[in-house]
Amino acid sequence: KLLNTLEAPYYIERCAVYDVKHINQTKKAIKKAIQNQIDGKGYSFVEILSMCPTNWGVDPAKAAEWVRDVMEPYYPVKCFRDGGEKK
């Protein structure tokens, strides 16, 4: 969110990895960010909401639910900027 206030970034997206749909979207976002860098289009940034069930002391399913139910409402998954234009 803070990076989106700057003029320089070309691509900014926040993703999550708590289910297959979001994992696939995250893969696409990472690939797009790297390709933007290779093509010299500008700075790209991908933030990923993830879990660590080991450190949290819960099973992986509970950790994924927590990311979906608690983290994502507070940190919405979305593309903030693509192609240098703010969304």
Side-chain angles (χ1 to χ4, degrees):
K1 209 174 192 182
L2 183 61
L3 287 174
N4 199 33
T5 63
L6 304 174
E7 288 184 36
Y10 184 81
Y11 176 68
I12 303 170
E13 186 161 356
R14 181 183 295 135
C15 306
V17 290
Y18 60 80
D19 64 14
V20 175
K21 175 186 169 190
H22 286 90
I23 290 169
N24 289 333
Q25 289 173 345
T26 300
K27 286 180 183 180
K28 289 177 185 176
I30 292 169
K31 184 176 180 179
K32 186 174 197 171
I34 291 171
Q35 192 62 52
N36 286 340
Q37 296 291 120
I38 290 170
D39 295 344
K41 293 181 178 177
Y43 178 75
S44 293
F45 181 82
V46 177
E47 178 182 15
I48 303 169
L49 303 180
S50 182
M51 57 271 189
C52 185
T54 303
N55 283 334
W56 293 356
V58 297
D59 64 79
K62 291 275 189 208
E65 288 173 13
W66 194 85
V67 170
R68 182 192 67 221
D69 298 339
V70 178
M71 284 180 75
E72 188 174 0
Y74 193 77
Y75 301 103
V77 171
K78 69 181 227 173
C79 182
F80 291 91
R81 186 183 304 194
D82 192 0
E85 296 180 20
K86 294 180 184 180
K87 290 188 171 190

